[in-house]
Amino acid sequence: MLWVKALHIIFVTTWMAAIFYLPRLFVYHVQALNESDTRGSERFKIMERKLFNGIMTPGAVLSIVFGLWLWLGYGISGAWLHAKLTLVLLLVAYHALCWKHLRAFRDDRNTHSDRYFRIINELPVFLLFGIVIFVVVKPF
């Protein structure tokens, strides 16, 4: 089970790195659009797609797979786990929100400002803090 735990941690780290970086790319993409930089915009579309499909989504899927494996293997239970899983579901919803924005940029339909993306870029930080605290401290 230690290998499963190690793989879970690796893929959570991968997922979180990508989930922190994608909205930052959206900020830069908006700035390129504001400067009428079509070549830059097309470059950002490629970077966003590759990050989302090649790193972020596989990281999310494998985090969840290995997390479920740990849960079933250890028979973990408790209120802290329910709280953690709630935050993980919110993180999955955030992932879906990023996918929605990715499609909007791909189709040249983005209506949000770089300020909006700077703000939503901070949301997963709070989810990560909560998840780690629930797992390590198990406050209830």
Side-chain angles (χ1 to χ4, degrees), residues 20-101:
F20 288 146
Y21 189 50
L22 185 61
R24 179 56 52 185
L25 287 178
F26 293 156
V27 169
Y28 301 143
H29 196 155
V30 170
Q31 290 173 341
L33 290 170
N34 290 343
E35 296 169 3
S36 300
D37 180 2
T38 53
R39 283 185 64 206
S41 176
E42 292 305 312
R43 189 176 308 117
F44 281 116
K45 287 178 186 180
I46 293 166
M47 292 169 65
E48 292 158 358
R49 177 180 47 81
K50 286 184 175 185
L51 179 64
F52 187 85
N53 293 328
I55 298 172
M56 194 164 138
T57 299
V61 169
L62 292 169
S63 293
I64 292 167
V65 165
F66 288 112
L68 289 172
W69 191 345
L70 285 170
W71 184 19
L72 296 173
Y74 283 120
I76 304 167
S77 64
W80 69 269
L81 180 64
H82 295 145
K84 178 217 173 193
L85 292 176
T86 300
L87 295 182
V88 170
L89 286 175
L90 289 172
L91 198 56
V92 169
Y94 183 88
H95 188 105
L97 177 68
C98 286
W99 180 66
K100 178 183 169 219
H101 290 307

